[in-house]
Amino acid sequence: MLLPNCLFRMGGASVLLSNKKCFRKQSKYRLLHVVRTHIGSFDKAYKCIHEMEDSEGKIGISLSKDLPNIARQALKANIHAFALQVLPLTEVFFFLKNVIKKVVSKRKDTKPYVPNFKRVFKHFCVHAGGRGVINNMQTELGLTWQDMEPSRMTLHRFGNTSSSSLWYELSYLEAKGMMKEGDRIWQIALGSGFKCNSAVWMCNRNITNSMDGPWFDCIDRYPIHVP
């Protein structure tokens, strides 16, 4: 019941959004897609992160041992809903072919097809919920250590700040001068419920060495090797 107090650190982020065309030239990014997947209708998913009283009547948050598997299921469900909106036709074909094969054969051991998301996205901001979460997401999405660099460095510097970590990661990319006009960014967040959310942004202009964020005093020290 006390474990979350050891896992999480305080963090927060604010974002100013507008749908007014007059702000288009001032905006850093354009929001292209948002997909929210909620699997709370399954009891194990609903209870894997649950606020409750212990035997002494003290309120705490219980984390279930099912959490890694539930997170994997939520991620897969989100990708299924998300992939058709963003992937090129060739990737969609192979993706659907694999899904149909799995349904027709009814074999649970059918290896899932992992789309090449790097054909669509230049950068990835993945929920920095711990080393295990990052490693699993890297494997599930077929990404490299370099793709996960913003997530790993955010976890190392700020700890697990839950979903706000996505904005620390985006700020890391800006501070490193990696954000260029036309780049697409995929943000992936996980949370209690259980839910998985995806957002896709397009960079409107080159952002060179932005030093007005949380990395201004330490960006020169990163990246460092984190296993």
Side-chain angles (χ1 to χ4, degrees):
M1 298 291 284
L2 293 175
L3 190 60
N5 296 337
C6 304
L7 286 178
F8 296 107
R9 290 185 64 183
M10 293 298 293
S14 61
V15 181
L16 180 62
L17 296 172
S18 176
N19 61 358
K20 296 182 179 180
K21 292 182 179 180
C22 61
F23 292 125
R24 180 173 295 178
K25 292 183 178 180
Q26 298 172 251
S27 301
K28 286 184 177 180
Y29 303 98
R30 177 186 174 192
L31 180 61
L32 300 181
H33 302 283
V34 175
V35 176
R36 183 175 186 269
T37 304
H38 199 294
I39 59 173
S41 57
F42 300 101
D43 285 344
K44 285 187 177 181
Y46 178 72
K47 295 180 179 179
C48 68
I49 304 178
H50 201 62
E51 186 178 71
M52 57 187 292
E53 292 184 355
D54 63 12
S55 57
E56 298 178 1
K58 296 178 180 179
I59 296 177
I61 298 177
S62 171
L63 297 184
S64 166
K65 293 180 180 179
D66 296 320
L67 180 56
N69 289 331
I70 295 299
R72 189 175 294 109
Q73 291 176 29
L75 176 63
K76 288 181 178 179
N78 186 264
I79 290 176
H80 282 187
F82 176 73
L84 298 179
Q85 298 184 29
V86 299
L87 291 175
L89 290 177
T90 52
E91 291 294 328
V92 171
F93 172 76
F94 290 119
F95 181 75
L96 291 178
K97 180 181 177 181
N98 181 263
V99 172
I100 294 171
K101 179 181 177 181
K102 187 174 182 179
V103 171
V104 172
S105 65
K106 297 181 180 180
R107 294 183 58 180
K108 294 183 179 181
D109 59 345
T110 302
K111 188 176 180 180
Y113 175 73
V114 179
N116 183 6
F117 289 106
K118 287 192 281 188
R119 292 186 59 184
V120 183
F121 305 112
K122 181 68 175 179
H123 306 289
F124 301 85
C125 295
V126 175
H127 186 107
R131 186 175 62 181
V133 173
I134 293 174
N135 289 341
N136 286 337
M137 295 282 266
Q138 178 178 331
T139 301
E140 292 289 338
L141 298 175
L143 303 178
T144 65
W145 193 95
Q146 286 74 21
D147 295 325
M148 306 298 285
E149 180 184 321
S151 300
R152 295 187 188 280
M153 298 307 104
T154 295
L155 181 65
H156 179 271
R157 174 66 180 84
F158 299 102
N160 180 2
T161 62
S162 194
S163 295
S164 67
S165 64
L166 302 182
W167 301 104
Y168 288 82
E169 294 164 25
L170 188 61
S171 181
Y172 177 88
L173 291 167
E174 292 181 353
K176 280 293 183 181
M178 296 180 182
M179 296 304 308
K180 305 299 180 184
E181 182 179 355
D183 285 355
R184 293 193 179 198
I185 309 99
W186 182 12
Q187 291 182 318
I188 318 167
L190 303 169
S192 58
F194 194 88
K195 56 185 173 289
C196 177
N197 300 328
S198 288
V200 178
W201 302 84
M202 177 179 285
C203 186
N204 289 337
R205 64 178 188 271
N206 294 345
I207 302 175
T208 56
N209 299 326
S210 175
M211 299 304 290
D212 59 352
W215 297 91
F216 75 95
D217 63 338
C218 61
I219 192 62
D220 292 338
R221 287 180 266 159
Y222 291 91
I224 62 173
H225 180 69
V226 180

